[in-house]
Amino acid sequence: METRKVIIIGTGPAGLTAAIYTARADLKPLILEGHEPGGQLTLTTEVENFPGFEHGIMGPELMGTMKKQALRFGAEFLSVMCTDVDLSKRPFKVTTSKGETYLAETIIVSTGASAKWPGLPNEKELTGRGVSTCATCDGFFYRDKIVHVVGGGDTAMEDATFITKFAKKVYVIHRKDTLRASKPMQERAFKNPKIEFIWDSVVSEIKSNESGVCGIVVENLKTGEKKYRDTDGLFFAIGHTPNTSFLKGQLELNEQGFINTHHGPETNISGVFACGDVQDSYYRQAITAAGSGCQAAIKAERFLEGH
C-alpha cells in the first residue's frame, strides 16, 4: 500500500489552502472532501470580506476556484468521507466511507464545524435568501431592515450586537426566560436600544415569497400561543458542532469538542495538524481558516523534512 506524504481530511478554506501549499511544495497531497465539499461557504451567497475581491464573490465560486488552484499544482481529490483513523503510529492509517484504506506520513485535519439547525422544513432551502448562520458574513445585507436572531448564548449576543450596526431593529428569540451568555455579553445586548428580546419562544415556521424570507411564526412555549412576525432576515445562532467524531478520542479535544492545538496547528500527536473551524470556535472566518491552513501545510512540510 502506497504511503502518502500528506493526507488532508476535509475541505473548505482551511483544507483547500493546505492543499494549495502542500501541492506547490510537491508533496502530492490526497484530499478527502468529506460530507460537505467546500465547507460552509458553499451554503452562503456573496462573500464580501475575503481579501482580493473588490466586489465580493459567491461562496461556492470562491471554493471552486480554490479547488482548481490546488488541482493545478497536482493535488488529488476524492469525493469520500473519512470514517476512521489510526493515529497510534506512523504511517497513520485513514479509512474512507468507501472502505478504502490509505497510509500517510502526516495528516491535516480540516473537517470544520457544522452550524446547528432547529430542524424547520424549509430552513436549508432558504439559506442565503433570508436565513443565515453567520452574522459577520451576512449582516451587511440587512441595512435598515428587521432581523430576528435565534439563540441565548454568547454567539447569539455577539451576532445580534453585530447586526445592529446595519439593521433597523433586531429581535432575539430565546426558548427560556434567561440567557446562558456570559454576563458581559448579556449586559452589552440589554443596553443596546436596537435589540429587543422575545422570551420563552421558538420559531415554529418560516414564511417566504419569491424574494426569500418574509416572515416567521413564533410560538410561546409557556402559553402555546403562535404569532406571525414580519422579518427580512432570520439568523440561527444556536452553536456549532465540530466534525471530530471520526477521531474517536485519539486527538485532544476541548470541552466543546474542538481540537486543541498549540504552536499554531500542532496537535498532541506529532505529525498530525489541525486547521480551520475544527480547532477554532472563536473567529470562524474564511480568512482565518485559510491562514491556519497555510500554517498547517508549512508545519507538515517541515515535519517531513525533519523525519
Side-chain angles (χ1 to χ4, degrees):
M1 187 181 301
E2 180 187 3
T3 300
R4 310 298 291 248
K5 292 180 180 178
V6 182
I7 289 181
I8 299 171
I9 304 173
T11 45
L16 292 174
T17 301
I20 292 167
Y21 271 78
T22 52
R24 284 193 76 241
D26 200 30
L27 298 180
K28 298 178 174 56
L30 177 67
I31 299 93
L32 311 184
E33 292 190 277
H35 74 286
E36 194 174 78
Q40 291 189 75
L41 275 190
T42 59
L43 301 176
T44 65
T45 51
E46 193 169 14
V47 179
E48 292 192 318
N49 55 4
F50 198 89
F53 299 94
E54 178 186 0
H55 301 290
I57 183 172
M58 300 299 282
E61 182 184 357
L62 176 60
M63 293 299 93
T65 301
M66 291 177 72
K67 180 178 179 179
K68 290 176 183 176
Q69 191 174 358
L71 285 167
R72 175 189 164 209
F73 293 119
E76 180 183 351
F77 288 80
L78 294 180
S79 299
V80 296
M81 286 180 59
C82 176
T83 56
D84 192 25
V85 292
D86 182 354
L87 307 180
S88 60
K89 61 180 180 179
R90 293 180 56 240
F92 306 117
K93 187 182 294 185
V94 175
T95 304
T96 76
S97 52
K98 291 185 177 180
E100 301 161 326
T101 300
Y102 297 89
L103 300 179
E105 292 293 339
T106 63
I107 287 177
I108 295 175
V109 181
S110 56
T111 46
S114 300
K116 294 179 181 178
W117 296 82
L120 298 173
N122 55 346
E123 59 190 15
K124 298 289 181 66
E125 290 83 353
L126 290 170
T127 300
R129 298 178 57 234
V131 171
S132 176
T133 59
C134 181
T136 51
C137 305
D138 300 328
F140 175 81
F141 301 111
Y142 295 91
R143 189 175 296 277
D144 298 323
K145 296 182 181 295
I146 296 173
V147 171
H148 288 71
V149 175
V150 177
D154 279 353
T155 299
M157 297 308 104
E158 289 174 2
D159 286 2
T161 301
F162 178 82
I163 296 170
T164 59
K165 296 178 181 180
F166 313 101
K168 175 169 59 178
K169 188 72 176 181
V170 176
Y171 295 92
V172 175
I173 302 171
H174 186 41
R175 60 173 48 251
K176 299 181 180 180
D177 58 3
T178 57
L179 299 172
R180 65 178 185 277
S182 61
K183 290 296 182 183
M185 292 302 302
Q186 290 189 40
E187 291 173 4
R188 188 184 306 175
F190 287 143
K191 290 179 180 178
N192 193 314
K194 284 188 175 182
I195 296 177
E196 185 174 323
F197 288 84
I198 301 173
W199 303 106
D200 301 311
S201 300
V202 296
V203 176
S204 60
E205 191 176 349
I206 307 173
K207 299 289 187 178
S208 63
N209 54 29
E210 63 278 359
S211 300
V213 172
C214 60
I216 56 175
V217 176
V218 177
E219 179 182 356
N220 186 293
L221 295 176
K222 289 187 174 179
T223 65
E225 181 183 12
K226 293 184 178 181
K227 286 185 178 180
Y228 173 84
R229 300 180 62 88
D230 290 320
T231 194
D232 300 298
L234 178 63
F235 286 77
F236 293 118
I238 54 179
H240 289 75
T241 301
N243 301 315
T244 54
S245 59
F246 69 97
L247 296 171
K248 296 179 174 62
Q250 298 181 78
L251 290 183
E252 288 182 0
L253 310 178
N254 67 15
E255 292 179 356
Q256 290 77 41
F258 293 87
I259 298 174
N260 282 328
T261 53
H262 58 278
H263 299 105
E266 296 180 17
T267 70
N268 61 297
I269 296 180
S270 182
V272 180
F273 308 93
C275 56
D277 287 8
V278 76
Q279 54 86 51
D280 171 26
S281 61
Y282 185 80
Y283 294 105
R284 299 198 308 272
Q285 298 298 301
I287 188 62
T288 52
S292 68
C294 168
Q295 291 179 325
I298 291 174
K299 285 277 189 174
E301 181 183 3
R302 292 179 180 172
F303 175 88
L304 290 167
E305 288 174 354
H307 292 76

